[in-house]
Amino acid sequence: FSADSGLPVYKDVANLPAYRDAGLDYGDLCVPQWARRDPTLFFGFWGSCYNNYFDASPHDGYGILHRWTHDVVGRHLLRRSASATGGGAEMGGPPTSFVYTSNVDCFFRRAGWDESQMLEIHGNISRWQCSLPCRTSLLAPRRAVWTLPPSHRFEVDPDTMRAPVCKAVEAEVEAEAEAPAFTLSAAERIRAEAPRRYAEAAAAAAA
């Protein structure tokens, strides 16, 4: 869906001379072990993806889909659900739309979908965490997940497709070490409950 924003599709993400010369394709580069085996290659690949995603913008189709799901399908579903349960539309309920996506580019977020309206099955490019306990993640054992700002850019060499180890990640984790004990935020609780609430509303509307 994001290809119309000028982003490469999966088969083309790694179709670059540096990767072809090394005999690496997209599947090879997605292996997380590169973070330990060859960190400059790891940060070069994911850093270039991050840069490309945040240099681009969601195309108009995202806005059209958001308006359609909210103003047409979503409101109709909520009216039918309210009628079936004897409540009013103002009583609230599940989100009027829900996105289930394998895309990691954050475009649905940037197009207006709320945290409670998304399930990103592969995560997203802005949220990072260590797959195994490492020096930096151990500084924040209760919250070893951090978010890079949209303004961040990785210093990727276009000839080698390598980048230095991301210091922004280390700095953010060190800051998290001083944070209070981690608990689910209201938005995270809503997000966790959204699929069940949406399914219940759909079942009630179809009854």
Side-chain angles (χ1 to χ4, degrees), residues 25-202:
D25 60 21
Y26 180 78
D28 298 325
L29 292 162
C30 286
V31 175
Q33 282 77 11
W34 287 118
R36 174 173 294 182
R37 188 186 311 160
D38 193 339
T40 62
L41 178 67
F42 173 86
F43 280 104
F45 174 68
W46 288 110
S48 66
C49 292
Y50 186 94
N51 293 352
N52 289 338
Y53 295 160
F54 281 97
D55 284 341
S57 298
H59 58 75
D60 290 344
Y62 285 91
I64 293 170
L65 183 59
H66 187 266
R67 291 191 299 274
W68 180 70
T69 54
H70 182 271
D71 296 337
V72 181
V73 177
R75 291 192 181 280
H76 178 67
L77 173 61
L78 288 182
R79 282 197 298 270
R80 291 187 62 183
S81 177
S83 176
T85 58
E90 70 281 355
M91 293 179 63
T96 55
S97 63
F98 192 82
V99 173
Y100 182 84
T101 180
S102 62
N103 289 356
V104 300
D105 50 35
C106 297
F107 273 20
F108 283 104
R109 293 172 175 272
R110 294 167 61 189
W113 270 271
D114 186 74
E115 180 80 14
S116 65
Q117 295 176 279
M118 292 180 295
L119 180 60
E120 298 162 311
I121 60 173
H122 293 159
N124 69 65
I125 194 70
S126 69
R127 287 183 175 169
W128 294 65
Q129 73 179 111
C130 293
S131 60
L132 295 172
C134 63
R135 181 179 64 82
T136 50
S137 68
L138 288 174
L139 292 174
R142 296 180 181 273
R143 192 173 184 178
V145 178
W146 57 97
T147 302
L148 290 179
S151 60
H152 179 76
R153 292 296 181 273
F154 289 81
E155 299 176 7
V156 182
D157 185 323
D159 295 323
T160 64
M161 294 306 295
R162 292 177 177 272
V165 174
C166 181
K167 297 302 181 182
V169 170
E170 291 191 20
E172 185 69 18
V173 173
E174 289 170 2
E176 289 287 1
E178 303 302 322
F182 175 69
T183 57
L184 284 177
S185 67
E188 288 166 326
R189 286 196 298 271
I190 292 172
R191 182 187 180 207
E193 295 171 359
R196 175 184 57 78
R197 296 171 63 200
Y198 194 83
E200 289 174 352

